[in-house]
């Protein structure tokens, strides 16, 4: 008996859906904290992005050391690193390059290398992270620096460090533009806020797919909608600051500025957004803001836990003003904390109602 043949169809052949690749290099001078942070994102989650749960998002293939099944540092058919060589050969189009960790200055060392990612097949030696940047940046449609190390150098770029570490924009140039005309996109934080990173990746994917306008960035290349406000402006404790109520020890609900909080001059939305699922946010839960998102971090904010120099003046003024305001508010508070006098039993209507 012969098998029945399928009826002829007028349907056009399905065209293959374009894929946007995300190539993630976590091999700057890095602790992988930003990769770990992204696993906690919920708005959206990395699963939402990768599994196509967001309407209109292009199909995505993520090549990320933290979760990739493939492994191996050498070039070859089934190795993780092969995706990066494919991108270099122009075989992945389009791709978003994510860099985590600061970029050391390889030209100042006497021998060896500061950091690398996979091996260079020509030499059998590790391919330095800066060489990967040189090779891949011209081919990338977008380039995202994740975390304060990759954006501005961070902890590895402190005064006295031997590596000459710097951020991606310091390395490639602050005016660098991708072949599609996008500047470097910086999402700082140590670690980066999970949802800030997930949201920015999502924005870039929409933009690469032609569904979003140019990403709005400030002069330090941060997304403006995420870094336009200070910690202080979103802090749960701002009311205490305004009333001149400052704690000098931990465990108090009052403002933390006298024990080292830099929130008034730090651009970060963490207190507003919370850390995970809207919960937490450094000063909200009792931790001083050490300014981990800022380009001047950490050097310009040390020693941590000392009162910031400018805070003496502002908290002094706030203490004077706050004392007077608290007295006046106490009078009003005592009044509004009582019910109106006509709410009582009896035969008389005392509300002022006139028929
Ligand atoms: Fe680690 Fe912080 Fe650097 Fe990210 S920014 S790699 S969390 S040290
Ligand atoms: Fe501002 Fe920090 Fe005080 Fe919060 S704890 S009100 S951010 S100074
Ligand atoms: Fe960093 Fe301060 Fe933001 Fe906390 S509140 S994440 S310490 S910048």
């Amino acid at each position: 008996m012969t098998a029945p043949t399928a009826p002829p169809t007028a349907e056009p052949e399905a065209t293959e859906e374009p894929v946007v690749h995300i190539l993630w290099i976590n091999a700057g001078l890095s602790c992988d904290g930003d990769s770990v942070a992204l696993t906690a994102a919920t708005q959206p989650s990395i699963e939402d992005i990768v599994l196509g749960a967001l309407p209109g998002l292009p199909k995505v293939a993520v090549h990320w050391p933290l979760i990739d099944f493939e492994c191996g540092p050498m070039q070859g058919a089934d190795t993780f690193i092969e995706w990066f060589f494919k991108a270099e050969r122009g075989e992945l189009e389009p791709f978003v390059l994510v860099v985590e960790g600061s970029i050391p200055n390889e030209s100042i060392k006497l021998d060896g290398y500061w950091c690398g990612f996979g091996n260079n097949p020509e030499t059998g030696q590790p391919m330095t992270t800066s060489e990967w940047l040189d090779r891949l940046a011209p081919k990338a449609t977008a380039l995202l620096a994740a975390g304060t190390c990759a954006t501005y150098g961070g902890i590895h770029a402190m005064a006295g460090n031997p590596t000459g570490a710097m951020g991606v924009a310091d390395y490639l140039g602050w005016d660098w533009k991708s072949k599609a005309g996008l500047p470097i996109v910086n999402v700082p934080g140590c670690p980066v806020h999970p949802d800030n990173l997930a949201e920015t990746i999502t924005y870039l994917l929409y933009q690469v797919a032609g569904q979003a306008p140019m990403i709005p960035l400030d002069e330090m290349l941060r997304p403006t909608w995420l870094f336009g406000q200070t910690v202080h402006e979103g802090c749960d404790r701002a009311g205490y600051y305004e009333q001149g109520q400052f704690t000098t020890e931990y465990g108090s609900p009052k403002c933390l500025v006298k024990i080292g909080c830099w929130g008034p001059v730090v651009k970060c939305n963490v207190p507003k957004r919370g850390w995970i699922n809207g919960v937490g946010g450094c000063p909200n839960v009792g931790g001083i803001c050490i300014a981990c998102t800022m380009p001047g971090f950490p050097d310009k904010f040390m020693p941590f836990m000392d009162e910031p120099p400018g805070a003496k003046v502002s908290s002094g003024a706030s203490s004077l003003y706050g004392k007077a305001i608290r007295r006046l508010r106490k009078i009003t508070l005592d009044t509004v904390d009582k019910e109106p006098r006509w709410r009582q039993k009896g035969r008389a209507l005392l509300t002022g109602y006139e028929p």
Side-chain angles (χ1 to χ4, degrees), residues 45-55 57-62 205:
S45 70
I46 186 66
E47 293 88 342
D48 290 340
I49 296 172
V50 173
L51 299 176
L54 304 174
L57 202 69
K59 199 169 170 192
V60 176
V62 184
L205 289 171

Side-chain angles (χ1 to χ4, degrees), residues 119-145:
N119 282 353
N120 184 335
E122 282 141 36
T123 62
Q125 293 298 307
M127 182 96 91
T128 62
T129 305
S130 46
E131 188 170 351
W132 272 119
L133 264 183
D134 295 339
R135 292 178 180 220
L136 294 182
K139 309 269 171 64
T141 298
L143 202 169
L144 193 160

Side-chain angles (χ1 to χ4, degrees), residues 30-34 147-149 156 189-191:
S30 146
C31 73
D32 287 1
D34 309 295
T148 300
C149 289
H156 308 99
C190 185

Side-chain angles (χ1 to χ4, degrees), residues 32-288:
D32 287 1
D34 309 295
S35 283
V36 175
L38 186 58
T39 61
T42 56
Q43 294 174 336
S45 70
I46 186 66
E47 293 88 342
D48 290 340
I49 296 172
V50 173
L51 299 176
L54 304 174
L57 202 69
K59 199 169 170 192
V60 176
V62 184
H63 310 287
W64 179 23
L66 198 83
I67 59 166
D68 215 296
F69 290 126
E70 293 161 338
C71 58
M74 297 293 290
Q75 194 178 9
D78 297 324
T79 65
F80 169 77
I81 208 73
E82 177 61 12
W83 290 102
F84 295 78
F85 285 106
K86 277 187 185 174
E88 191 209 352
R89 294 194 297 266
E91 295 167 16
L92 293 190
E93 181 63 36
F95 73 90
V96 176
L97 181 63
V98 180
V99 180
E100 178 178 4
S102 43
I103 311 304
N105 185 349
E106 296 288 350
S107 51
I108 58 171
K109 66 189 184 310
L110 296 177
D111 50 28
Y113 62 99
W114 294 120
C115 62
F117 189 65
N119 282 353
N120 184 335
E122 282 141 36
T123 62
Q125 293 298 307
M127 182 96 91
T128 62
T129 305
S130 46
E131 188 170 351
W132 272 119
L133 264 183
D134 295 339
R135 292 178 180 220
L136 294 182
K139 309 269 171 64
T141 298
L143 202 169
L144 193 160
T148 300
C149 289
T151 51
Y152 309 124
I155 288 173
H156 308 99
M158 283 178 71
N161 85 81
T163 66
M166 64 195 94
V168 172
D170 300 317
Y171 182 79
L172 290 177
W174 285 83
D175 294 333
W176 182 91
K177 295 265 190 326
S178 76
K179 64 181 185 185
L182 274 86
I184 294 165
V185 177
N186 280 339
V187 189
C190 185
V192 69
H193 185 281
D195 293 323
N196 284 352
L197 183 55
E199 209 173 284
T200 307
I201 291 173
T202 307
Y203 191 107
L204 286 175
L205 289 171
Y206 278 124
Q207 188 177 342
V208 168
Q211 298 189 47
M214 178 60 82
I215 185 165
L217 304 174
D218 68 14
E219 71 285 359
M220 297 309 284
L221 305 178
R222 297 166 286 210
T224 50
W225 78 94
L226 298 173
F227 292 91
Q229 285 182 303
T230 64
V231 169
H232 190 66
E233 285 161 353
C235 178
D236 281 0
R237 297 170 188 248
Y240 286 107
Y241 185 102
E242 188 243 2
Q243 293 183 163
Q245 293 172 290
F246 307 103
T247 183
T248 51
E249 55 190 26
Y250 286 96
S252 158
K254 294 179 186 170
C255 170
L256 306 167
V257 75
K258 290 205 176 292
I259 53 174
C261 183
W262 280 84
V265 290
V266 171
K267 292 182 175 179
C268 170
N269 63 353
V270 160
K272 267 255 189 250
R273 188 160 210 175
W275 257 107
I276 297 174
N277 263 337
V279 178
C282 311
N284 293 355
V285 291
I288 57 172

